[in-house]
Amino acid sequence: MASKIQPVKGTREFYPEQMFLRNFIYEKVRAASQAFGYQEWDAPFIEPIDLYAAKSGEELVKKQSFTFQDRGGDYVTLRPELTPSLARMIAAKQNELTQPVRWWSFGPFWRYEQPQKGRSREFFQWNIDMLGVNSPEADAELIAIAATFLRSVGLNPQLATIFVNNRRLMDSEFDALDIVPEKRLEVSSLVDRRSKMEPANWSEYALELGLTKKQVNGLKDMLGNFELWKKSDELTRLFTAVEALGVKEYVKFDPNIMRGLLYYTGTVFEAFETSGSLKRAILGGGRYDNLLADVGGQPLPGVGFAMGDVVMGIILQENGLLPDFVPTPAAALVTIFDESMWKKSFELAAQLRNVGLNVMVYPEPVKLQKQFKFADKMKIKIALTVGPDEAANDQVAVKNLVNGEQVTVKREAVVESIRKILARV
RNA sequence: GAGCCUGUAGCUCAACGGCAGAGCGCUACACUGUGGCUGUAGAUGUUGCGGGUUCGAAACCCGUCAGGCUCCCCA
């Protein structure tokens, strides 16, 4: 055997089965995005490294992205995220674009990370954003889109929940606890980490950060207070809008949701599977009102979220929500009776394709048994045979492979016969 | 970047340091104009790769590659 060259670590090969799932997710993503009128767009897959260096930390760009020199000596990066490209493209045509901008995208991304369950180095991600509007109602729309998607793939509110919080609310709570601004970053990551740590260890860690006992206790009270949203006008309005949009049952307030990103300014949200084995977020996003100004554009508020295909695929599989795999788009298989009938079979297939039917012809005049077995494995619903008997009378044998019934019809009547079977199964 | 676990037929997995196996799948035939179900027969392999220990290694040791879990990170 020749030596095997393996695929690059962390990449996935998409055999037809996997491609079917990827397309299933893509179709549902597109349907949810389009249901709210969003436009599909995309950015380059390769970007200058500087695009990310401005916003992301240097370590992230250097250690967790696929970066290399092109033949001209410039440093380029396989895009690890879409938002910087979005910000650039919006900024370039800021006065030209009809606002609000509502855009969605589904494409490949690369991150040089340790592959694990739910995480690969090459993955597909859904990004969807609204720019030009700063309101809790706009935030609610994005959350409703996420909920619409979850519902469309069969993840009901018992299986998946979108947890919502607000950065401004948290900031005012931190103020009330006299947590100084310099500590906010550390405290944010402390909050982020709470679900992953034992309560005792967490408290200890909090004290190590230099918080007083009073502050730690105040923090604990705050993070356990699921009525805290009532203090926030933004969240109150958001929940009202979410209810009106018909997705209330998917959305819960949770003061523990922080999001690692620095650029979020208001609403933040993350969806999790409620009972699954994965601790990873299904999707996450929030409001980023300073981002465009940060990359040199005119200030423009925005809200959006991203969802990866890897976690989604695992969750669908674990919940038995994978769609039934359809191996081929062919509605019918035309068999080849023997060498003398080859021409007749090709002509029949061409005739059927002319009226828009997807038709596959068996490529060799082998035993009919083998050809039918192939049709069965490919889950093709109809088999068409032109043997000497049929050819003599200008007829075709049409077999319904789902129920086993076979009829012999005139060649002109084949299309009707096929359509009848397809309408029934 | 760090720690732990795993790698055997296409797939899921067995095999005390002593003949490399089972189930499923695959191929052929039963069935010379028809699939699924059944029966019979058959083919599976550098035990991830490279080295070492041993009379003898799938097993033990070292390295390496790949996967999984955790830490880190999660744009």
Side-chain angles (χ1 to χ4, degrees), chain A residues 32-182:
Chain A
S33 305
Q34 293 189 340
F36 288 77
Y38 283 60
Q39 298 172 285
E40 188 171 7
W41 72 290
D42 210 340
F45 295 176
I46 308 176
E47 290 279 19
I49 191 171
D50 296 344
L51 181 68
Y52 306 101
K55 184 180 69 72
S56 320
E58 194 178 334
E59 195 173 307
L60 280 179
V61 176
K62 276 192 178 159
K63 290 193 173 167
Q64 298 201 289
S65 64
F66 280 89
T67 297
F68 51 91
Q69 257 183 307
D70 67 16
R71 292 186 190 280
D74 294 329
Y75 284 94
V76 295
T77 302
L78 290 173
R79 63 180 190 184
E81 60 164 328
L82 193 61
T83 308
S85 305
L86 171 69
R88 181 190 59 205
M89 285 171 63
I90 297 283
K93 299 203 173 187
Q94 202 156 354
N95 297 324
E96 191 180 322
L97 292 167
T98 305
Q99 290 184 15
V101 168
R102 285 179 160 110
W103 286 2
W104 72 279
S105 177
F106 185 86
F109 294 87
W110 295 264
R111 290 180 194 172
Y112 197 82
E113 295 185 291
Q114 215 42 248
Q116 294 172 20
K117 188 177 188 182
R119 181 196 277 174
S120 58
R121 288 184 173 180
E122 181 180 61
F123 57 95
F124 286 78
Q125 199 173 66
W126 175 27
N127 283 266
I128 184 161
D129 296 271
M130 188 197 309
L131 293 106
V133 182
N134 178 7
S135 74
E137 288 75 20
D139 301 352
E141 174 168 306
L142 270 295
I143 289 168
I145 293 168
T148 299
F149 171 83
L150 295 175
R151 187 185 280 153
S152 76
V153 296
L155 288 167
N156 60 41
Q158 285 73 50
L159 295 172
T161 305
I162 302 167
F163 297 99
V164 181
N165 195 7
N166 187 291
R167 280 278 174 89
R168 265 188 283 274
L169 171 65
M170 297 309 274
D171 275 336
S172 70
E173 291 299 307
F174 289 156
D175 285 342
L177 288 170
D178 288 323
I179 294 171
V180 293
E182 301 81 61

Side-chain angles (χ1 to χ4, degrees), chain A residues 25 34-35 50 105 115 167 169 266 289 305 309 334 346 348 352 371 374 401 404 418:
Chain A
I25 292 174
Q34 293 189 340
D50 296 344
S105 177
R167 280 278 174 89
L169 171 65
D289 286 345
F305 68 85
D309 72 316
V334 179
F346 273 1
L348 174 63
L352 297 175
Q371 301 188 41
F374 171 80
L401 293 174
I418 290 173

Side-chain angles (χ1 to χ4, degrees), chain A residues 251-298:
Chain A
V251 187
K252 282 203 178 85
F253 169 73
D254 190 332
N256 297 282
I257 298 295
M258 287 302 285
R259 305 281 298 152
L261 265 181
L262 301 178
Y263 58 60
Y264 288 121
T265 54
T267 300
V268 287
F269 57 95
E270 270 180 343
F272 286 92
E273 193 186 10
T274 46
S275 61
S277 64
L278 279 184
K279 283 269 158 63
R280 298 183 190 287
I282 298 171
L283 58 87
R287 172 157 291 283
Y288 48 88
D289 286 345
N290 301 332
L291 185 63
L292 235 73
D294 288 350
V295 300
Q298 297 298 309

